[in-house]
């Protein structure tokens, strides 16, 4: 494993100002495209950041934390168990053998892309007497190294989900293509919105996919323009990370 670079120093004031700026930017795009700013949920992504920084965010009013890795998320949830209204959102790929941990502490899982994980999560959640908000991850850029279902496979996948009654399906999640071309990034978000529309024509009973989790620090405004309802923002709130993104988005 790579040694993390020293964490960028962030103060309570900077964090609060970063948060205010992001909220303002969300509001501004919404107004520009005629959307209600309350229809976009800001999910702060706190991966690699220390407990101290997460507590600063909590003091600034943050009540949910997006974490990419299960172990890191679980450790933080334990360290911060005193913050009883904090929600823990696992947004990264999950191996089946780690589903049991997610079932214990997480409130939300945004990267469901295979039925083995669905089955195992459901089984463990039933044992724990819990339920979990879930997003189905879609590989909207068709990059072979990326996680997520190919768009063409999502319809059949969703038909299988009603049998996992502890999974509360909320919608679809994606990472756009990593590209400096705004058009290529936007195309991913448009594809997601069109997929959502198409899937709605034949959803199984009891399943809703009203949420679209798309957009990060570098592209959340484009995502909101194209219909995102959840933006996952890390660096623009918490500062740069010590670890490179390749650590969090390993090739399959
Ligand atoms: C890290 C991460 C984000 C946030 O990325 P930033 O560039 O820091 O905003 C969003 N989604 C996922 C799945 C991530 O792992």
């Amino acid at each position: 494993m790579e040694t993390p670079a020293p964490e960028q120093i962030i103060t309570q004031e900077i964090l609060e100002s970063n948060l205010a700026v992001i909220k303002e930017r969300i509001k501004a795009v919404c107004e520009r495209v005629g959307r209600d700013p309350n229809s976009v949920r800001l999910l702060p992504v706190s991966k690699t950041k220390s407990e101290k920084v997460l507590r600063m965010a909590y003091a600034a009013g943050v009540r949910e934390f997006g974490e990419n890795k299960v172990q890191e998320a679980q450790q933080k949830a334990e360290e911060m168990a005193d913050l009883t209204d904090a929600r823990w959102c696992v947004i990264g790929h999950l191996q089946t053998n780690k589903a049991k941990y997610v079932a214990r502490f997480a409130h939300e899982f945004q990267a469901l892309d295979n039925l083995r994980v669905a089955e195992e999560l459901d089984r463990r959640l039933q044992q724990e007497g819990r339920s979990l908000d879930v997003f189905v991850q879609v590989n909207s850029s068709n990059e072979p190294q990326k996680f997520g279902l190919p768009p063409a496979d999502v319809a059949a996948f969703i038909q299988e989900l009603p049998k996992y009654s502890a999974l509360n399906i909320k919608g679809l999640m994606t990472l756009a293509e990593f590209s400096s071309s705004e058009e290529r990034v936007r195309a991913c978000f448009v594809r997601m919105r069109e997929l959502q529309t198409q899937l709605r024509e034949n959803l199984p009973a009891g399943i809703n996919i009203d949420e679209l989790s798309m957009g990060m620090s570098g592209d959340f405004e484009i995502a909101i323009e194209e219909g995102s309802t959840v933006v996952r923002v890390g660096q623009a709130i918490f500062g740069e990370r010590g670890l490179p993104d390749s650590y969090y988005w390993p090739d399959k």
Side-chain angles (χ1 to χ4, degrees):
M1 201 181 113
E2 292 152 89
T3 316
E7 190 168 82
Q8 186 177 317
I9 294 177
I10 188 152
T11 62
Q12 185 72 37
E13 269 170 21
I14 295 174
L15 199 151
E16 283 179 13
S17 128
N18 287 351
L19 259 177
V21 168
I22 297 297
K23 287 181 186 165
E24 207 40 60
R25 282 170 63 186
I26 291 173
K27 198 166 147 242
V29 199
C30 285
E31 277 164 8
R32 184 152 47 75
V33 298
R35 291 188 57 187
D36 175 1
N38 295 317
S39 69
V40 180
R41 169 181 154 215
L42 170 61
L43 172 58
V45 176
S46 51
K47 67 190 188 200
T48 79
K49 301 300 167 184
S50 64
E51 179 189 351
K52 188 173 152 223
V53 174
L54 271 67
R55 284 187 183 272
M56 281 166 40
Y58 186 88
V62 169
R63 290 294 177 272
E64 45 179 10
F65 298 93
E67 290 282 338
N68 189 292
K69 290 195 177 285
V70 178
Q71 257 156 311
E72 184 180 339
Q74 188 175 23
Q75 192 189 331
K76 287 173 175 171
E78 282 167 11
E79 288 168 353
M80 298 170 62
D82 55 308
L83 309 180
T84 50
D85 59 348
R87 283 183 94 243
W88 297 94
C89 306
V90 174
I91 59 177
H93 179 73
L94 182 63
Q95 286 167 297
T96 313
N97 62 4
K98 295 199 178 142
K100 56 177 177 283
Y101 304 117
V102 170
R104 270 178 219 154
F105 77 92
H107 299 87
E108 182 168 295
F109 173 54
Q110 291 210 357
L112 184 67
D113 67 0
N114 76 78
L115 291 175
R116 287 184 318 282
V117 168
E119 168 108 47
E120 182 64 3
L121 274 175
D122 187 63
R123 193 170 74 83
R124 298 285 183 167
L125 286 161
Q126 307 277 2
Q127 286 172 4
E128 303 277 341
R130 300 185 75 232
S131 64
L132 183 69
D133 288 350
V134 170
F135 290 65
V136 174
Q137 185 174 355
V138 180
N139 183 353
S140 60
S141 61
N142 285 309
E143 293 166 284
Q145 75 280 14
K146 269 210 194 145
F147 289 111
L149 291 165
D153 294 357
V154 181
F157 184 83
I158 285 183
Q159 296 302 321
E160 301 298 319
L161 297 181
K163 60 174 174 260
Y164 307 116
S165 59
L167 305 185
N168 179 19
I169 306 303
K170 306 291 285 184
L172 310 176
M173 178 272 226
T174 202
L175 290 154
E177 182 175 335
F178 301 119
S179 164
S180 54
S181 152
E182 184 186 315
E183 289 324 302
R184 299 182 72 96
V185 170
R186 187 181 297 277
C188 294
F189 298 143
V190 170
R191 213 167 281 138
M192 292 294 286
R193 192 188 58 223
E194 289 173 354
L195 178 64
Q196 181 191 42
T197 304
Q198 185 195 324
L199 293 169
R200 276 176 167 157
E201 285 168 22
N202 188 26
L203 285 177
I207 300 283
N208 290 302
I209 51 162
D210 291 343
E211 307 292 334
L212 285 179
S213 174
M214 54 191 202
M216 320 195 308
S217 293
D219 59 14
F220 71 88
E221 282 148 325
I222 307 171
I224 292 171
E225 285 171 2
E226 299 304 340
S228 171
T229 66
V230 184
V231 291
R232 310 177 308 268
V233 179
Q235 304 186 73
I237 295 173
F238 294 103
E240 280 167 31
R241 287 183 289 270
L243 287 166
D245 281 344
S246 57
Y247 174 74
Y248 280 93
W249 297 310
D251 286 352
K252 274 206 267 189

